[in-house]
Amino acid sequence: MVGNVGGQLLVYTNYKAPRYRVVLIDPKKPHEANWKEVLPETENKLEGVDQVGGYLVASYLKDASSLVKVYTEKGEFKHDVALPAIGTAAGFGGDALPKRCTTPSLRLPTPIPFTSTT
Protein backbone atom coordinates (compact mmCIF):
# COMPACT_ATOMS: atom_id res chain seq x y z
CA MET A 1 0.00 0.00 0.00
CA VAL A 2 1.26 3.47 -0.92
CA GLY A 3 -1.15 5.50 1.21
CA ASN A 4 -4.69 6.81 1.14
CA VAL A 5 -6.76 9.56 -0.43
CA GLY A 6 -10.07 10.53 1.13
CA GLY A 7 -10.56 7.18 2.85
CA GLN A 8 -9.62 5.18 -0.25
CA LEU A 9 -6.45 3.11 -0.52
CA LEU A 10 -3.63 3.75 -3.00
CA VAL A 11 -2.25 0.30 -3.81
CA TYR A 12 0.98 -0.57 -5.67
CA THR A 13 0.32 -3.86 -7.45
CA ASN A 14 1.44 -6.16 -10.22
CA TYR A 15 -2.03 -7.68 -10.53
CA LYS A 16 -2.72 -7.76 -14.29
CA ALA A 17 0.37 -5.53 -14.69
CA PRO A 18 3.73 -7.36 -14.60
CA ARG A 19 5.61 -4.02 -14.58
CA TYR A 20 3.37 -2.71 -11.75
CA ARG A 21 0.78 0.03 -11.47
CA VAL A 22 -1.08 1.99 -8.78
CA VAL A 23 -4.82 1.65 -8.24
CA LEU A 24 -7.27 3.38 -5.92
CA ILE A 25 -9.48 0.98 -3.96
CA ASP A 26 -12.52 1.93 -1.91
CA PRO A 27 -12.49 -0.41 1.12
CA LYS A 28 -16.31 -0.28 1.14
CA LYS A 29 -16.35 -1.53 -2.49
CA PRO A 30 -13.14 -3.56 -2.84
CA HIS A 31 -14.13 -5.57 -5.91
CA GLU A 32 -11.81 -5.17 -8.89
CA ALA A 33 -14.59 -3.70 -11.03
CA ASN A 34 -14.59 -0.66 -8.70
CA TRP A 35 -10.83 -0.02 -8.79
CA LYS A 36 -9.63 3.23 -10.35
CA GLU A 37 -6.29 3.17 -12.10
CA VAL A 38 -4.13 6.06 -10.88
CA LEU A 39 -0.75 5.19 -12.43
CA PRO A 40 -1.11 2.69 -15.27
CA GLU A 41 1.52 0.14 -16.18
CA THR A 42 4.11 1.55 -18.62
CA GLU A 43 6.93 0.11 -20.71
CA ASN A 44 9.28 0.82 -17.76
CA LYS A 45 8.98 -1.12 -14.51
CA LEU A 46 7.48 0.89 -11.66
CA GLU A 47 10.00 0.20 -8.90
CA GLY A 48 8.23 2.11 -6.14
CA VAL A 49 5.85 4.93 -5.28
CA ASP A 50 5.81 7.30 -2.31
CA GLN A 51 3.00 9.63 -1.28
CA VAL A 52 4.56 12.93 -0.25
CA GLY A 53 2.88 16.29 0.37
CA GLY A 54 -0.19 15.49 -1.71
CA TYR A 55 1.80 14.06 -4.61
CA LEU A 56 2.95 10.65 -5.80
CA VAL A 57 6.67 10.25 -6.47
CA ALA A 58 7.12 7.30 -8.82
CA SER A 59 10.46 5.66 -9.52
CA TYR A 60 10.67 3.68 -12.76
CA LEU A 61 13.55 1.49 -13.97
CA LYS A 62 14.72 2.41 -17.46
CA ASP A 63 17.97 1.07 -18.95
CA ALA A 64 19.22 0.04 -15.46
CA SER A 65 18.75 3.60 -14.14
CA SER A 66 15.96 5.39 -12.28
CA LEU A 67 13.48 7.63 -14.00
CA VAL A 68 11.61 9.61 -11.33
CA LYS A 69 8.29 11.31 -12.03
CA VAL A 70 5.89 13.33 -9.88
CA TYR A 71 2.10 12.98 -10.22
CA THR A 72 -0.93 14.34 -8.43
CA GLU A 73 -2.81 11.87 -6.25
CA LYS A 74 -5.25 11.55 -9.17
CA GLY A 75 -2.43 10.42 -11.48
CA GLU A 76 -1.92 13.65 -13.43
CA PHE A 77 1.72 14.06 -14.49
CA LYS A 78 3.43 17.13 -13.00
CA HIS A 79 7.16 16.83 -13.81
CA ASP A 80 10.26 14.66 -13.99
CA VAL A 81 12.85 14.75 -11.20
CA ALA A 82 16.38 15.38 -12.43
CA LEU A 83 18.95 13.11 -10.83
CA PRO A 84 22.59 14.24 -10.52
CA ALA A 85 23.91 11.26 -12.52
CA ILE A 86 22.96 7.89 -13.94
CA GLY A 87 22.00 5.54 -11.09
CA THR A 88 19.04 4.39 -9.04
CA ALA A 89 16.90 6.34 -6.59
CA ALA A 90 14.47 4.98 -4.02
CA GLY A 91 12.88 5.83 -0.71
CA PHE A 92 11.45 9.28 -1.26
CA GLY A 93 9.83 10.31 1.97
CA GLY A 94 8.24 13.22 3.69
CA ASP A 95 5.04 14.17 5.38
CA ALA A 96 1.57 15.24 4.40
CA LEU A 97 2.53 18.91 4.25
CA PRO A 98 3.16 20.32 0.78
CA LYS A 99 6.73 20.92 -0.40
CA ARG A 100 8.41 18.68 2.18
CA CYS A 101 10.35 15.74 0.83
CA THR A 102 13.46 14.00 2.09
CA THR A 103 16.35 13.06 -0.16
CA PRO A 104 16.09 9.52 -1.50
CA SER A 105 18.73 6.83 -1.35
CA LEU A 106 20.91 7.20 -4.42
CA ARG A 107 23.19 4.58 -5.91
CA LEU A 108 25.41 6.21 -8.47
CA PRO A 109 28.36 4.77 -10.39
CA THR A 110 30.55 7.68 -9.30
CA PRO A 111 30.57 9.69 -6.07
CA ILE A 112 28.63 12.94 -5.94
CA PRO A 113 31.01 15.91 -5.44
CA PHE A 114 30.60 17.36 -1.97
CA THR A 115 31.42 20.94 -1.09
CA SER A 116 31.54 21.95 2.56
CA THR A 117 29.73 25.12 3.58
CA THR A 118 31.94 25.72 6.60
Side-chain angles (χ1 to χ4, degrees):
M1 192 172 91
V2 175
N4 66 75
V5 177
Q8 297 187 2
L9 308 175
L10 282 168
V11 179
Y12 168 76
T13 181
N14 66 347
Y15 180 72
K16 295 186 178 179
R19 291 182 304 276
Y20 292 81
R21 64 185 176 149
V22 175
V23 295
L24 189 65
I25 300 174
D26 184 342
K28 295 176 185 173
K29 302 178 197 172
H31 301 288
E32 181 185 353
N34 299 318
W35 294 4
K36 294 177 184 167
E37 194 165 61
V38 176
L39 299 181
E41 179 182 33
T42 69
E43 64 184 24
N44 300 309
K45 183 181 178 201
L46 180 57
E47 291 282 296
V49 180
D50 295 289
Q51 186 179 27
V52 181
Y55 293 93
L56 300 177
V57 181
S59 181
Y60 296 90
L61 186 62
K62 180 179 180 175
D63 300 328
S65 186
S66 288
L67 178 62
V68 181
K69 297 180 173 288
V70 177
Y71 298 90
T72 67
E73 290 174 330
K74 293 181 179 181
E76 298 163 355
F77 175 75
K78 296 303 282 182
H79 61 85
D80 291 313
V81 175
L83 298 178
I86 294 172
T88 58
F92 291 87
D95 56 30
L97 299 175
K99 300 181 182 178
R100 296 186 75 181
C101 183
T102 59
T103 305
S105 299
L106 295 172
R107 291 188 194 148
L108 305 171
T110 57
I112 298 173
F114 176 79
T115 304
S116 175
T117 59
T118 57

